[in-house]
Amino acid sequence: MTSTATTTDPQRTPAPDTPERTGARTEEAAGTIAGARERIDALDDRIIGLVQERIAVSAVIQQTRIASGGRRVNLSREMEVLDHFRGALGKPGTALAMTLLELCRGRI
C-alpha cells in the first residue's frame, strides 16, 4: 500500500493559494493573498526590466562623458538622485538609490 502526501506532510509544498503557503487563516484570504502575490511578481518583473534599462542608459552617459574627457562618475548628479529618492521614499529611498547607483556605475 502506498501513501499519498497530505498538507501535513513536511515533504510536500502546499499549493500557492493554500492557507499553509500564504499564512492566511481562511481559503478566501489565501486566494486574495495569492492574487496579490501574482501582482507583486509582475511588478517585480517590470522593476527588474526598468533597472536593466536604467543600467543601459547610464552606460551610454558614462561612455559619452569619458569620451569627451570627463570623469566616469558625476558626484553632483548622484547627489541629485539620492535627494530625489529620499524625498519620495524617505530614508529607505536613499538605500534604494545607492543600490541603483551602484548597479548603474558598472565597474569603476
Side-chain angles (χ1 to χ4, degrees):
M1 175 192 258
T2 61
S3 65
T4 58
T6 65
T7 56
T8 59
D9 183 352
Q11 299 299 320
R12 182 176 171 268
T13 302
D17 60 351
T18 63
E20 295 90 355
R21 175 86 165 108
T22 63
R25 299 207 175 205
T26 66
E27 291 291 333
E28 181 181 354
T32 299
I33 291 168
R37 284 181 175 171
E38 286 179 17
R39 176 82 201 260
I40 285 175
D41 290 344
L43 289 167
D44 287 347
D45 288 341
R46 287 174 49 198
I47 291 167
I48 290 167
L50 289 169
V51 169
Q52 290 170 331
E53 184 178 350
R54 190 184 195 289
I55 290 168
V57 171
S58 184
V60 169
I61 292 169
Q62 289 175 47
Q63 290 166 359
T64 304
R65 188 183 302 120
I66 291 167
S68 72
R71 299 180 64 187
R72 180 183 185 113
V73 175
N74 182 334
L75 295 177
S76 64
R77 173 61 180 152
E78 288 195 357
M79 291 306 297
E80 289 175 13
V81 172
L82 291 169
D83 288 344
H84 180 72
F85 274 76
R86 183 176 30 256
L89 302 172
K91 186 177 178 181
T94 302
L96 178 58
M98 287 296 296
T99 299
L100 281 171
L101 291 170
E102 182 179 347
L103 285 168
C104 292
R105 280 187 204 122
R107 292 188 176 164
I108 295 179

